[in-house]
Amino acid sequence: MSSTTTKAVDAAKSTTYAFSKPTSETSPTARSFLQHPYTRTALPFINGGLAGMTATICVQPIDMVKVRLQLAGEGVKSGPRPSPLQVTRDIIAQGKVMDLYTGLSAGLLRQAVYTTARLGFFDTFMTALKARAETKGAKIGFKERAVAGLTAGGLAAMVGNPADLALIRMQSDGLKPKEQRANYRSVVDALTRIAKSEGVYALWAGASPTIARAMALNFGQLAFFSEAKTQLKANTHLSMQTQTLTASAIAGFFASFFSLPFDFVKTRLQKQSKGADGKLPYSGMADCFRKVTKEEGLLRFYRGFGTYYIRIAPHA
């Protein structure tokens, strides 16, 4: 898991501890509630989810542009190559500025589920690993953190896939002719209608690349942030704050590089619908990789890299 995740978990624990102190400002009832084992266990989940939801509100327009870039020129090697600015202008021209926030309810639900679960799983795994290490008189190392981070990211991605699917469907709906648009009113409406028309199993379409993306993202953030911070500390005279920001930028680049192809495939799989012949364009992750490589070229997987990096780097 990334340094941001670790810090968020530690901050949540620190907050819990601080709130549990007997102070004149805290009522006995509040102290009792905050000291309750269930409350202390839930705080890392709640704090992480709220942090993720706040970040989503800020980056939702960037995510909207990223999705539209990934879907542009589908199936055509020499198709349109719009810039992020062009996509933004088109979205605004076809509707209004707030259309950049299309799918916000799905994005918030995704963060409420994914980020909450990711931090919670990570905290649970780390607590168990620390307890086991202490019995052996050892300490938690990079390998243990990496395994905990990758596993937590993969499990959380599986849990959050329905919200992720609804987000892609809502963001891509505007690309269809008006008479074919679903015009989802909210994430609840999207999930209900998709489950009713395509089956509940359809809510987990694209789950494989979603999990692979989460694991690749966490690997890039975890491994390269730690290594960059170590190298900057040893070989530069930068301040601690500058070291952290620089390491975050480096980790964000590699996290984007490793995860964007999976994010691209995830978007294509979650957006697809059956054609006139009753078949889907892609049968799965491997088929999508194969067809995009053949029909659009390898570089198509990295379309929108700059936009994706801007979205990912702050979280590294």
Side-chain angles (χ1 to χ4, degrees):
M1 188 69 64
S2 69
S3 64
T4 303
T5 303
T6 306
K7 289 175 183 175
V9 171
D10 291 339
K13 289 181 175 179
S14 299
T15 303
T16 308
Y17 177 74
F19 282 152
S20 66
K21 290 181 179 180
T23 63
S24 57
E25 291 84 5
T26 307
S27 68
T29 303
R31 289 201 303 270
S32 176
F33 174 74
L34 290 168
Q35 289 173 341
H36 196 283
Y38 291 139
T39 305
R40 296 167 73 90
T41 301
L43 270 176
F45 290 76
I46 296 170
N47 286 359
L50 289 175
M53 292 170 75
T54 301
T56 292
I57 294 173
C58 297
V59 303
Q60 182 69 14
I62 299 174
D63 191 67
M64 175 70 167
V65 172
K66 184 265 298 181
V67 169
R68 291 293 181 88
L69 284 170
Q70 290 176 330
L71 296 174
E74 184 173 2
V76 183
K77 193 166 187 176
S78 59
R81 299 185 61 182
S83 68
L85 185 58
Q86 287 176 316
V87 171
T88 303
R89 285 174 176 170
D90 288 344
I91 293 172
I92 296 173
Q94 293 172 14
K96 51 187 180 296
V97 174
M98 290 308 295
D99 283 352
L100 290 168
Y101 279 91
T102 298
L104 179 60
S105 60
L108 291 173
L109 177 61
R110 178 188 179 279
Q111 287 299 334
V113 175
Y114 172 72
T115 305
T116 301
R118 184 181 64 165
L119 289 172
F121 283 134
F122 182 71
D123 183 52
T124 301
F125 294 153
M126 288 301 294
T127 300
L129 288 169
K130 285 177 182 176
R132 189 174 70 175
E134 286 175 1
T135 60
K136 298 179 179 179
K139 292 184 178 180
I140 294 294
F142 174 80
K143 184 176 73 173
E144 288 78 14
R145 288 191 180 89
V147 171
L150 292 172
T151 306
L155 289 173
M158 173 64 80
V159 174
N161 198 78
D164 214 335
L165 175 85
L167 175 61
I168 297 299
R169 292 290 182 91
M170 294 174 78
Q171 290 178 323
S172 63
D173 198 43
L175 294 173
K176 299 176 181 177
K178 286 189 177 181
E179 64 276 6
Q180 295 180 18
R181 293 177 188 175
N183 295 316
Y184 300 112
R185 296 187 299 274
S186 67
V187 62
V188 175
D189 180 46
L191 291 172
T192 302
R193 288 165 62 183
I194 293 169
K196 196 173 291 185
S197 62
E198 302 175 40
V200 175
Y201 181 73
L203 296 175
W204 273 270
S208 295
T210 300
I211 293 171
R213 172 194 177 276
M215 297 181 76
L217 193 63
N218 286 325
F219 169 74
Q221 290 175 337
L222 179 69
F224 289 94
F225 180 87
S226 176
E227 182 63 23
K229 193 78 180 289
T230 300
Q231 293 297 329
L232 288 168
K233 187 175 182 179
N235 300 304
T236 71
H237 299 289
L238 299 173
S239 66
M240 288 299 294
Q241 184 178 15
T242 304
Q243 287 179 22
T244 300
L245 291 173
T246 305
S248 177
I250 294 170
F253 175 85
F254 284 102
S256 300
F257 177 79
F258 287 124
S259 65
L260 183 53
F262 296 109
D263 184 82
F264 180 95
V265 171
K266 173 189 77 71
T267 298
R268 289 287 180 92
L269 290 178
Q270 292 179 335
K271 173 261 180 185
Q272 69 175 346
S273 56
K274 291 181 179 179
D277 59 356
K279 295 181 180 180
L280 292 170
Y282 311 108
S283 62
M285 182 169 69
D287 184 51
C288 185
F289 268 114
R290 182 181 62 79
K291 286 182 177 177
V292 171
T293 301
K294 181 180 179 180
E295 298 170 3
E296 304 175 46
L298 281 171
L299 290 179
R300 186 61 62 91
F301 292 110
Y302 285 96
R303 173 173 282 182
F305 181 85
T307 307
Y308 187 66
Y309 173 73
I310 291 172
R311 183 185 181 279
I312 294 299
H315 297 283

